[in-house]
Amino acid sequence: QSALTQPRSVSGSPGQSVTISCTGTSSDVANYNYVSWYQQHPGKAPKVMIYDVNKRPSGVPDRFSGSKSGNTASLTISGLQAEDEAEYYCCSYAGRYTFEFGGGTKLTVL
Amino acid sequence: EVQLVESGGGLVQPGESLRLSCAASGFIASSNYMSWVRQAPGKGLEWVSLIYSGDKIYYADSVKGRFTISRDSPKNTLHLQMNSLRAEDTAVYYCATIQTGRFDDWGQGTLVTVSS
C-alpha cells in the first residue's frame, strides 16, 4: 500500500480537463512544498511534469498545472491530448531525506 | 546532456546478492543528490535510497540493513549493493538525479528478478 493515495484511474475526452488528486498526511504533503508529479508511458522511465507543487520544468506544456490544499495535492491537465494518456504518479518529500510516492493513476483519453 | 545508464540486473535466487551500477554522463554525479527508485512489475514507484555530496546516505525502511548505496567518483558511477534479496525486491530499478525535492533525470532502468 502506497503512502500517498491516488485514484486508480481517470478519463476525459480530447480538449477536456482532468484533475488527479494525491492525498497524504501532515508528515508529508501538508508539511512540505516538495510535491512533484511524474508521467510514465508503458515501458518508459518516469518524466517529471510538476515540481515544488506548481512549477513546470522547461519543455512541459502549460496545460499541466499543480496545486495543493492541506494534505491533498492535485494535478490538472487541461486541453487533453491523446499523448497525455499515461500513468501519473505524485511524490512528496517526507522529511529526513525520504520520499513517498502515490500508487499511480491511469489516465485514459477517450 | 545528462545521461544515466543502469546495468547489473538479472535473475537471482532468494537470499542472494546483486550489485547494480548507474553510469552518469553530462554532469558530475558526486556533486549531486542521486537516488535509486524501483518499480515492481505492474506496480507503482517506490523510493529506495539517496546519497548526496556529503556522502550522507538514506534508505527506505523496506531495504535498510540489506541494501548499500555508494558511488565511484573517478568513474562517475552510482552503485546499489543488494544483499539478502527477497521475492518482493523484484522490480525495475531506476537511478535518478534529485534537484530540490524532485527526481529530475532518470535512467532507462534495469530489471531485477528474485525467484527460485
Side-chain angles (χ1 to χ4, degrees):
Chain A
Q1 188 169 349
S2 300
L4 307 181
T5 301
Q6 298 180 233
R8 294 290 291 270
S9 64
V10 297
S11 62
S13 300
Q16 288 187 332
S17 294
V18 294
T19 296
I20 301 171
S21 62
C22 170
T23 301
T25 69
S26 59
S27 298
D28 40 57
V29 174
N31 203 31
Y32 302 97
N33 286 324
Y34 291 135
V35 175
S36 51
W37 290 88
Y38 301 84
Q39 177 192 66
Q40 187 180 35
H41 287 109
K44 300 295 186 181
K47 173 187 175 184
V48 60
M49 305 301 283
I50 294 289
Y51 68 98
D52 293 356
V53 176
N54 56 14
K55 297 178 183 175
R56 278 179 290 106
S58 61
V60 173
D62 59 7
R63 302 185 293 104
F64 291 83
S65 61
S67 63
K68 188 184 85 168
S69 177
N71 64 350
T72 299
S74 299
L75 172 71
T76 298
I77 309 170
S78 58
L80 270 178
Q81 298 183 2
E83 59 262 36
D84 298 334
E85 184 162 299
E87 194 84 19
Y88 290 84
Y89 294 92
C90 64
C91 178
S92 176
Y93 179 66
R96 299 185 181 181
Y97 295 93
T98 64
F99 293 86
E100 295 167 346
F101 283 94
T105 298
K106 179 167 176 55
L107 168 61
T108 301
V109 180
L110 302 170
Chain B
E1 178 192 3
V2 171
Q3 191 171 14
L4 300 167
V5 180
E6 301 94 336
S7 61
L11 172 63
V12 295
Q13 295 191 347
E16 293 187 339
S17 299
L18 205 58
R19 188 192 194 209
L20 305 183
S21 298
C22 171
S25 60
F27 73 107
I28 301 173
S30 60
S31 299
N32 286 267
Y33 288 67
M34 299 289 298
S35 190
W36 289 95
V37 176
R38 68 183 180 183
Q39 185 170 34
K43 302 297 183 181
L45 300 169
E46 180 187 15
W47 173 74
V48 172
S49 183
L50 175 156
I51 185 169
Y52 74 96
S53 57
D55 279 346
K56 298 297 184 183
I57 290 172
Y58 300 87
Y59 300 100
D61 288 343
S62 58
V63 305
K64 200 173 294 182
R66 300 187 299 123
F67 290 12
T68 302
I69 191 172
S70 63
R71 52 182 163 210
D72 183 336
S73 296
K75 295 184 178 179
N76 212 26
T77 299
L78 182 72
H79 297 291
L80 186 67
Q81 177 67 40
M82 304 185 296
N83 298 331
S84 303
L85 282 163
R86 307 166 180 168
E88 54 264 36
D89 295 319
T90 294
V92 173
Y93 285 74
Y94 297 98
C95 69
T97 61
I98 297 178
Q99 297 285 346
T100 21
R102 71 183 186 269
F103 298 90
D104 216 12
D105 297 291
W106 298 67
Q108 86 289 349
T110 186
L111 176 62
V112 172
T113 303
V114 184
S115 175
S116 55

